[in-house]
Amino acid sequence: EDQVTQSPEALRLQEGESSSLNCSYTVSGLRGLFWYRQDPGKGPEFLFTLYSAGEEKEKERLKATLTKKESFLHITAPKPEDSATYLCAVLNSGGYQKVTFGTGTKLQVIP
Amino acid sequence: GAGVSQSPSNKVTEKGKDVELRCDPISGHTALYWYRQSLGQGLEFLIYFQGNSAPDKSGLPSDRFSAERTGGSVSTLTIQRTQQEDSAVYLCASSLGGSNQPQHFGDGTRLSIL
């Protein structure tokens, strides 16, 4: 069974203090790893898809990287508006589009 | 363009009643998914549709849960004889259906069972 573990569960940063969120996974053949952002009372918002080890994607202050066992979401000089829960999910190489989600990292950026 | 639309946004009902939750996916998206999110928990996969068929129903928690999709578009998730443990946010997502396509989510229905 596919498993996704995210750490830390919660992270509090000062504005401008860079850090990284971790997503460790075990999957029977990775077809894609997804990062989402979720604000309170909202559905998850798609950020990135990574397909193979060594791949990197960037968007504003966020950069996602992928190895064979884990993915990192690096946040550079965060702002208060980056506060949200960040979710990681994996899609395996099975026949169905079943995505397994982690429980997320709740990020708070303090002005 | 319009995103995934879910209704109602909130539903409060008494234990034992039936409820229907609706999802209107992004136009042209052939794949549709239902998830359940409980406080402090990750997203729990419930069911996946490709077109009108559901090749994977493995996530439905019990036979009180059922879902259908008609016309390759709107989907309804029905919970019969609701129990207090059914209280959660029910999220719907859609995607283009091809391999590796990301899912786009609605804002969910918050279901509370009294």
Side-chain angles (χ1 to χ4, degrees), chain B residues 34-111:
Chain B
W34 283 99
Y35 294 89
R36 180 166 70 175
Q37 188 173 36
S38 303
L39 195 62
Q41 303 294 315
L43 273 71
E44 176 189 3
F45 169 82
L46 298 179
I47 191 168
Y48 152 64
F49 288 92
Q50 179 59 45
N52 290 335
S53 65
D56 190 356
K57 300 181 181 179
S58 63
L60 293 176
S62 75
D63 58 8
R64 296 186 296 106
F65 287 72
S66 63
E68 65 175 14
R69 189 180 186 194
T70 55
S73 182
V74 172
S75 176
T76 54
L77 176 69
T78 301
I79 309 173
Q80 295 179 308
R81 305 181 302 282
T82 52
Q83 304 293 313
Q84 287 188 331
E85 61 263 28
D86 299 334
S87 296
V89 176
Y90 290 82
L91 289 162
C92 174
S94 69
S95 76
L96 286 171
S99 181
N100 304 343
Q101 294 298 317
Q103 298 175 22
H104 298 272
F105 285 81
D107 287 336
T109 294
R110 182 174 299 277
L111 177 63

Side-chain angles (χ1 to χ4, degrees), chain A residues 12-89:
Chain A
R12 198 172 182 200
L13 298 173
Q14 292 289 331
E15 184 172 2
E17 180 187 2
S18 301
S19 189
S20 296
L21 313 183
N22 177 263
C23 170
S24 298
Y25 63 89
T26 54
V27 64
S28 54
L30 181 71
R31 202 146 46 108
L33 184 142
F34 307 94
W35 281 99
Y36 288 84
R37 167 193 172 126
Q38 187 173 23
D39 293 299
K42 300 289 187 181
E45 174 189 348
F46 170 71
L47 293 173
F48 304 110
T49 307
L50 300 167
Y51 296 105
S52 58
E55 189 175 1
E56 299 182 352
K57 293 269 179 80
E58 281 189 71
K59 179 180 179 179
E60 295 180 357
R61 294 175 294 282
L62 301 177
K63 179 179 176 181
T65 62
L66 180 65
T67 72
K68 288 187 178 179
K69 293 185 178 180
E70 56 192 349
S71 177
F72 292 94
L73 185 66
H74 306 278
I75 304 176
T76 302
K79 298 183 177 181
E81 53 262 41
D82 295 323
S83 297
T85 296
Y86 291 85
L87 300 170
C88 171

